[in-house]
Amino acid sequence: MLRIGLCQLTSSAEPAENLAPIREGVARAAGEGARVVVFPEAAMARFGVPLGPVAEPLDGPWAKSVAAIADEHGVLVVAGMFTPHEDGRVRNTLLITGLGHHTGYDKIHLYDAFGFRESDTVAPGASPVTVEVDGVTLGFATCYDVRFPELFRALADRGASVVVLPTSWGAGEGKRDQWDVLVRARALDSGCWVLGCGQADPAASGVEVNPKAPTGIGYSTVADGFGRVHAQLGAGPESVVVDIDPEVAEKARNATGALANRRL
């Protein structure tokens, strides 16, 4: 069993300001026994502002500050940030730090959809990433990645029984319904637990943001490999701690045959 905390929040445009809710969220979740604490995509700085000026490498001050928080509380922290890319764009990176790890996952599938073009300012990643915590293998995906079952199955093939999915979901007609369906579908496709941790809806806190940017709708969701929802938050800033049993992933895969019976 692995206890994981999800901290749904509304990031500001200032990286230094966003360290405070990360520090508070880690302390709270660790106090409830969490070994992994997850924050949304763009936890470093929200979308809708220029990303180049805030981007820092994984050995930069922002990531080092998060690493220090993780080490202080003896947990693995996952938080969305932006790292520089040599072509002048940035990478949309999940910082994965603590418990002897300090690495990143660069978002593979970029949000060139629903009138938004993430690839104009963000360069894509190329490689799936997994890490092990207390004998449980975690895989990582970011937001728009959830529309691509190949990634989740590739992570399962690499031994993942859990996929951590930080997101800053774009609002719009039908988008909440799509989020609910996609989290559960990717869990069923792969047999993995899928833990979607989203940016809260800024409107729920009275925060004004660029209405064209994907700044979050909330509704962080935890689903197991049978597609069952174990937890779901509301629209505003909230957190939840869940116990993840990796054996459920194995039972789901054996029952559905979703991996073993693949033919294409």
Side-chain angles (χ1 to χ4, degrees):
M1 199 75 71
L2 183 64
R3 185 163 286 188
I4 301 179
L6 305 183
C7 299
Q8 179 173 287
L9 49 77
T10 295
S11 297
S12 77
E14 298 297 331
E17 290 180 3
N18 294 320
L19 290 171
I22 289 174
R23 187 175 291 108
E24 293 165 6
V26 169
R28 185 169 56 247
E32 295 181 44
R35 290 284 282 162
V36 180
V37 187
V38 184
F39 295 88
E41 176 187 24
M44 179 195 207
R46 68 171 180 245
F47 285 109
V49 300
L51 301 177
V54 302
E56 296 180 6
L58 289 175
D59 61 357
W62 196 85
K64 284 183 176 179
S65 295
V66 177
I69 295 169
D71 290 344
E72 178 184 353
H73 293 279
V75 298
L76 183 82
V77 173
V78 183
M81 64 176 296
F82 301 102
T83 55
H85 186 259
E86 56 268 17
D87 71 2
R89 292 182 291 175
V90 302
R91 289 200 189 276
N92 186 339
T93 300
L94 295 183
L95 170 65
I96 303 160
T97 188
L99 300 180
H101 301 284
H102 189 80
T103 189
Y105 162 69
D106 296 326
K107 185 179 181 183
I108 293 173
H109 302 96
L110 299 183
Y111 185 54
D112 288 0
F114 294 97
F116 193 83
R117 282 192 52 82
E118 187 176 16
S119 65
D120 286 346
T121 55
V122 178
S127 301
V129 172
T130 61
V131 305
E132 187 174 301
V133 175
D134 297 346
V136 178
T137 300
L138 309 178
F140 300 89
T142 304
C143 202
Y144 190 59
D145 279 334
V146 77
R147 294 185 181 273
F148 301 90
E150 309 95 308
L151 175 59
F152 289 73
R153 286 178 162 174
L155 291 167
D157 287 341
R158 287 164 169 79
S161 55
V162 181
V163 178
V164 175
L165 176 68
T167 183
S168 186
W169 200 252
E173 183 179 355
K175 293 296 295 301
R176 161 77 194 284
D177 291 336
Q178 292 173 32
W179 169 249
D180 289 343
V181 168
L182 287 164
V183 170
R184 297 175 71 187
R186 294 299 79 84
L188 283 161
D189 290 338
S190 63
C192 290
W193 289 84
V194 176
L195 279 62
C197 182
Q199 287 275 346
D201 184 348
S205 301
V207 177
E208 293 187 9
V209 297
N210 180 347
K212 295 182 180 180
T215 49
I217 64 167
Y219 296 99
S220 297
T221 301
V222 175
D224 70 17
F226 290 99
R228 300 174 297 203
V229 174
H230 288 249
Q232 185 171 69
L233 300 181
E238 296 183 65
S239 62
V240 66
V241 173
V242 292
D243 288 322
I244 301 301
D245 183 355
E247 292 186 4
V248 173
E250 189 65 25
K251 291 177 181 177
R253 291 167 188 168
N254 289 338
T256 67
L259 297 180
N261 293 338
R262 285 177 291 179
R263 290 296 176 267
L264 298 178

Coordinates of all heavy atoms in Angstrom, one line a residue, residues 196-251:
G196 N -5.3 11.9 -11.3 CA -5.3 13.2 -11.9 C -5.4 14.3 -10.9 O -6.4 14.4 -10.2
C197 N -4.3 15.1 -10.9 CA -4.3 16.3 -9.9 C -4.3 17.6 -10.7 O -3.3 17.9 -11.4 CB -3.0 16.2 -9.0 SG -2.9 17.5 -7.8
G198 N -5.4 18.3 -10.6 CA -5.6 19.5 -11.4 C -5.4 20.8 -10.7 O -5.5 20.9 -9.5
Q199 N -5.2 21.8 -11.6 CA -5.3 23.2 -11.1 C -6.8 23.4 -10.7 O -7.7 23.0 -11.5 CB -4.9 24.2 -12.2 CG -3.4 24.2 -12.4 CD -2.7 25.2 -11.5 OE1 -3.3 26.0 -10.8 NE2 -1.4 25.1 -11.4
A200 N -7.0 24.1 -9.6 CA -8.4 24.4 -9.2 C -8.9 25.5 -10.2 O -8.2 26.1 -10.9 CB -8.4 25.0 -7.8
D201 N -10.2 25.6 -10.3 CA -10.8 26.6 -11.1 C -10.6 28.0 -10.5 O -11.0 28.2 -9.3 CB -12.3 26.4 -11.2 CG -13.1 27.3 -12.1 OD1 -12.5 28.3 -12.5 OD2 -14.3 27.1 -12.4
P202 N -9.9 28.9 -11.1 CA -9.6 30.2 -10.5 C -10.8 30.9 -10.1 O -10.8 31.6 -9.1 CB -8.8 30.9 -11.6 CG -8.2 29.9 -12.5 CD -9.2 28.7 -12.5
A203 N -11.9 30.8 -10.8 CA -13.1 31.5 -10.5 C -13.7 31.1 -9.1 O -14.3 31.8 -8.4 CB -14.2 31.2 -11.5
A204 N -13.4 29.8 -8.7 CA -13.8 29.4 -7.4 C -13.2 30.1 -6.2 O -13.7 30.2 -5.1 CB -13.5 27.9 -7.2
S205 N -12.0 30.8 -6.5 CA -11.4 31.6 -5.5 C -11.4 33.1 -5.8 O -10.7 33.9 -5.2 CB -9.9 31.1 -5.4 OG -9.8 29.8 -5.0
G206 N -12.2 33.4 -6.9 CA -12.3 34.8 -7.3 C -11.0 35.4 -7.9 O -10.8 36.6 -7.9
V207 N -10.2 34.5 -8.5 CA -9.0 34.9 -9.2 C -9.2 35.1 -10.7 O -9.8 34.3 -11.3 CB -7.9 33.8 -9.0 CG1 -6.6 34.2 -9.7 CG2 -7.6 33.6 -7.5
E208 N -8.8 36.3 -11.1 CA -9.0 36.6 -12.6 C -7.8 36.2 -13.3 O -6.6 36.5 -12.9 CB -9.2 38.1 -12.7 CG -10.6 38.6 -12.2 CD -10.9 40.0 -12.5 OE1 -10.1 40.6 -13.4 OE2 -11.8 40.6 -12.0
V209 N -8.0 35.4 -14.4 CA -6.9 35.0 -15.2 C -7.2 35.2 -16.7 O -8.3 35.6 -17.0 CB -6.6 33.4 -15.0 CG1 -6.2 33.2 -13.6 CG2 -7.9 32.6 -15.3
N210 N -6.2 34.9 -17.6 CA -6.5 35.0 -19.0 C -7.5 34.0 -19.4 O -7.3 32.7 -19.2 CB -5.1 34.7 -19.7 CG -5.3 34.8 -21.2 OD1 -6.4 34.8 -21.8 ND2 -4.1 34.8 -21.9
P211 N -8.7 34.4 -19.9 CA -9.8 33.4 -20.1 C -9.5 32.4 -21.3 O -10.1 31.4 -21.4 CB -10.9 34.3 -20.5 CG -10.4 35.6 -21.0 CD -9.1 35.8 -20.2
K212 N -8.5 32.8 -22.1 CA -8.1 31.9 -23.2 C -7.1 30.8 -22.8 O -6.9 29.8 -23.6 CB -7.6 32.7 -24.4 CG -8.5 33.7 -25.0 CD -7.9 34.4 -26.2 CE -8.9 35.4 -26.8 NZ -8.3 36.1 -27.9
A213 N -6.5 30.9 -21.7 CA -5.5 30.0 -21.2 C -6.1 28.8 -20.5 O -7.1 29.0 -19.8 CB -4.4 30.7 -20.4
P214 N -5.5 27.6 -20.6 CA -6.0 26.4 -19.8 C -5.5 26.5 -18.3 O -4.5 26.0 -18.0 CB -5.4 25.3 -20.5 CG -4.1 25.8 -21.1 CD -4.4 27.2 -21.5
T215 N -6.3 27.2 -17.5 CA -5.9 27.5 -16.1 C -6.6 26.6 -15.1 O -6.5 26.8 -13.9 CB -6.1 28.9 -15.8 OG1 -7.4 29.3 -16.2 CG2 -5.1 29.8 -16.5
G216 N -7.3 25.6 -15.5 CA -7.8 24.6 -14.6 C -9.3 24.7 -14.4 O -9.9 25.7 -14.4
I217 N -9.9 23.5 -14.0 CA -11.3 23.4 -13.7 C -11.5 22.7 -12.3 O -12.6 22.5 -11.9 CB -12.1 22.7 -14.8 CG1 -11.7 21.2 -14.9 CG2 -12.0 23.4 -16.1 CD1 -12.6 20.3 -15.7
G218 N -10.4 22.2 -11.7 CA -10.5 21.4 -10.5 C -10.9 19.9 -10.8 O -10.5 19.4 -11.9
Y219 N -11.6 19.3 -9.9 CA -12.1 18.0 -10.1 C -11.0 16.9 -10.2 O -11.1 16.0 -11.0 CB -13.1 17.9 -11.2 CG -14.4 18.7 -10.9 CD1 -14.5 20.0 -11.4 CD2 -15.3 18.2 -10.0 CE1 -15.6 20.7 -11.1 CE2 -16.4 19.0 -9.7 CZ -16.6 20.3 -10.2 OH -17.6 21.0 -9.9
S220 N -9.9 17.1 -9.4 CA -8.9 16.1 -9.3 C -9.6 14.7 -9.0 O -10.5 14.6 -8.2 CB -7.9 16.4 -8.2 OG -7.2 17.6 -8.5
T221 N -9.1 13.7 -9.7 CA -9.8 12.4 -9.7 C -8.8 11.2 -9.5 O -7.8 11.2 -10.2 CB -10.6 12.2 -11.0 OG1 -11.5 13.3 -11.1 CG2 -11.4 10.9 -11.0
V222 N -9.2 10.3 -8.7 CA -8.4 9.0 -8.5 C -9.3 7.9 -9.0 O -10.4 7.6 -8.4 CB -8.0 8.8 -7.0 CG1 -7.3 7.5 -6.8 CG2 -7.1 10.0 -6.6
A223 N -8.8 7.1 -10.0 CA -9.5 5.9 -10.5 C -8.6 4.7 -10.5 O -7.4 4.9 -10.7 CB -10.0 6.2 -11.9
D224 N -9.1 3.6 -10.2 CA -8.3 2.3 -10.3 C -8.5 1.6 -11.6 O -9.2 2.1 -12.5 CB -8.7 1.4 -9.1 CG -10.1 0.8 -9.2 OD1 -10.7 0.7 -10.3 OD2 -10.6 0.2 -8.2
G225 N -7.8 0.5 -11.8 CA -7.7 -0.1 -13.1 C -9.0 -0.8 -13.5 O -9.1 -1.2 -14.7
F226 N -10.0 -0.8 -12.6 CA -11.3 -1.2 -13.1 C -12.2 0.0 -13.5 O -13.4 -0.2 -13.8 CB -12.0 -2.0 -11.9 CG -11.4 -3.3 -11.6 CD1 -10.5 -3.5 -10.6 CD2 -11.8 -4.4 -12.4 CE1 -10.0 -4.7 -10.3 CE2 -11.3 -5.7 -12.1 CZ -10.4 -5.8 -11.1
G227 N -11.6 1.2 -13.4 CA -12.4 2.4 -13.8 C -13.2 2.9 -12.7 O -14.0 3.8 -12.9
R228 N -13.0 2.4 -11.5 CA -13.8 2.9 -10.3 C -13.2 4.1 -9.7 O -12.0 4.2 -9.6 CB -13.9 1.8 -9.2 CG -14.5 0.5 -9.7 CD -14.4 -0.6 -8.6 NE -13.1 -1.0 -8.3 CZ -12.7 -2.1 -7.8 NH1 -13.7 -3.0 -7.5 NH2 -11.5 -2.4 -7.5
V229 N -14.0 5.1 -9.4 CA -13.5 6.4 -8.9 C -13.5 6.2 -7.4 O -14.5 6.0 -6.7 CB -14.4 7.6 -9.3 CG1 -14.0 8.9 -8.5 CG2 -14.3 7.8 -10.8
H230 N -12.3 6.5 -6.8 CA -12.1 6.4 -5.3 C -12.1 7.7 -4.7 O -12.4 7.8 -3.4 CB -10.7 5.7 -5.0 CG -10.8 4.2 -5.4 ND1 -10.7 3.2 -4.4 CD2 -10.8 3.6 -6.6 CE1 -10.7 2.0 -5.0 NE2 -10.8 2.2 -6.3
A231 N -11.8 8.8 -5.4 CA -11.9 10.1 -4.8 C -12.0 11.1 -5.9 O -11.5 10.9 -7.0 CB -10.6 10.4 -4.0
Q232 N -12.8 12.2 -5.7 CA -12.8 13.3 -6.6 C -13.1 14.6 -5.8 O -14.0 14.6 -5.0 CB -13.9 13.1 -7.7 CG -13.9 14.2 -8.7 CD -14.8 13.9 -9.9 OE1 -16.1 14.0 -9.7 NE2 -14.3 13.7 -11.1
L233 N -12.3 15.6 -6.1 CA -12.4 16.9 -5.5 C -13.4 17.8 -6.2 O -13.9 17.4 -7.3 CB -11.0 17.6 -5.3 CG -10.0 16.8 -4.6 CD1 -8.7 17.5 -4.5 CD2 -10.5 16.4 -3.2
G234 N -13.7 18.9 -5.6 CA -14.6 19.9 -6.3 C -13.8 20.9 -7.1 O -12.7 20.6 -7.6
A235 N -14.4 22.1 -7.4 CA -13.7 23.0 -8.3 C -12.6 23.9 -7.6 O -11.7 24.3 -8.3 CB -14.8 24.0 -8.8
G236 N -12.8 24.1 -6.3 CA -11.8 25.0 -5.6 C -10.6 24.3 -5.1 O -10.4 23.1 -5.2
P237 N -9.7 25.1 -4.4 CA -8.5 24.5 -3.8 C -8.9 23.5 -2.7 O -9.6 23.8 -1.8 CB -7.8 25.7 -3.2 CG -8.3 26.9 -4.0 CD -9.7 26.5 -4.3
E238 N -8.4 22.3 -2.8 CA -8.7 21.2 -1.9 C -7.5 20.2 -1.9 O -6.7 20.3 -2.8 CB -9.9 20.4 -2.2 CG -11.2 21.2 -2.2 CD -12.4 20.2 -2.5 OE1 -12.6 19.3 -1.7 OE2 -13.1 20.4 -3.5
S239 N -7.5 19.3 -1.0 CA -6.5 18.2 -1.0 C -7.1 16.9 -0.5 O -8.2 17.0 0.1 CB -5.3 18.6 -0.2 OG -5.6 18.7 1.1
V240 N -6.5 15.8 -0.9 CA -7.0 14.5 -0.5 C -5.8 13.6 -0.4 O -4.8 13.7 -1.1 CB -8.1 14.0 -1.5 CG1 -7.4 13.7 -2.8 CG2 -8.7 12.7 -0.9
V241 N -5.9 12.7 0.6 CA -4.8 11.6 0.7 C -5.5 10.3 0.5 O -6.6 10.0 1.1 CB -4.2 11.7 2.1 CG1 -3.2 10.5 2.3 CG2 -3.4 13.0 2.3
V242 N -4.9 9.5 -0.4 CA -5.5 8.2 -0.8 C -4.5 7.1 -0.6 O -3.3 7.3 -0.8 CB -6.1 8.2 -2.2 CG1 -7.2 9.1 -2.4 CG2 -5.0 8.6 -3.2
D243 N -5.0 5.9 -0.2 CA -4.2 4.7 -0.2 C -4.3 3.9 -1.5 O -5.4 3.5 -1.9 CB -4.6 3.8 1.0 CG -4.2 4.4 2.4 OD1 -3.1 5.0 2.4 OD2 -5.0 4.3 3.3
I244 N -3.2 3.7 -2.1 CA -3.1 3.0 -3.4 C -2.6 1.6 -3.2 O -1.5 1.4 -2.7 CB -2.2 3.8 -4.4 CG1 -2.7 5.2 -4.5 CG2 -2.1 3.0 -5.7 CD1 -4.1 5.3 -5.1
D245 N -3.4 0.6 -3.6 CA -3.0 -0.8 -3.5 C -2.5 -1.3 -4.9 O -3.4 -1.4 -5.8 CB -4.1 -1.7 -3.0 CG -3.8 -3.1 -2.8 OD1 -2.6 -3.5 -3.1 OD2 -4.6 -3.9 -2.3
P246 N -1.2 -1.5 -5.1 CA -0.7 -1.9 -6.4 C -1.3 -3.2 -6.8 O -1.3 -3.5 -8.1 CB 0.8 -1.9 -6.2 CG 1.0 -2.1 -4.8 CD -0.1 -1.4 -4.1
E247 N -1.7 -4.1 -5.9 CA -2.3 -5.4 -6.3 C -3.6 -5.2 -7.1 O -4.0 -6.1 -7.9 CB -2.5 -6.3 -5.1 CG -1.2 -6.7 -4.4 CD -1.4 -7.7 -3.3 OE1 -2.6 -8.1 -3.1 OE2 -0.4 -8.0 -2.6
V248 N -4.3 -4.1 -6.9 CA -5.5 -3.9 -7.6 C -5.2 -3.7 -9.1 O -6.0 -4.2 -10.0 CB -6.3 -2.6 -7.1 CG1 -7.5 -2.2 -8.0 CG2 -6.7 -2.9 -5.7
A249 N -4.1 -3.1 -9.4 CA -3.7 -3.0 -10.8 C -3.5 -4.4 -11.5 O -4.0 -4.6 -12.6 CB -2.4 -2.2 -11.0
E250 N -2.8 -5.3 -10.8 CA -2.6 -6.6 -11.3 C -3.9 -7.4 -11.4 O -4.2 -8.0 -12.5 CB -1.7 -7.4 -10.4 CG -1.2 -8.7 -10.9 CD -0.4 -8.6 -12.1 OE1 0.3 -7.5 -12.3 OE2 -0.3 -9.5 -13.0
K251 N -4.8 -7.2 -10.5 CA -6.1 -7.9 -10.6 C -6.9 -7.3 -11.7 O -7.6 -8.1 -12.4 CB -6.9 -7.6 -9.3 CG -6.3 -8.4 -8.1 CD -7.1 -8.0 -6.8 CE -6.5 -8.8 -5.6 NZ -7.2 -8.4 -4.3

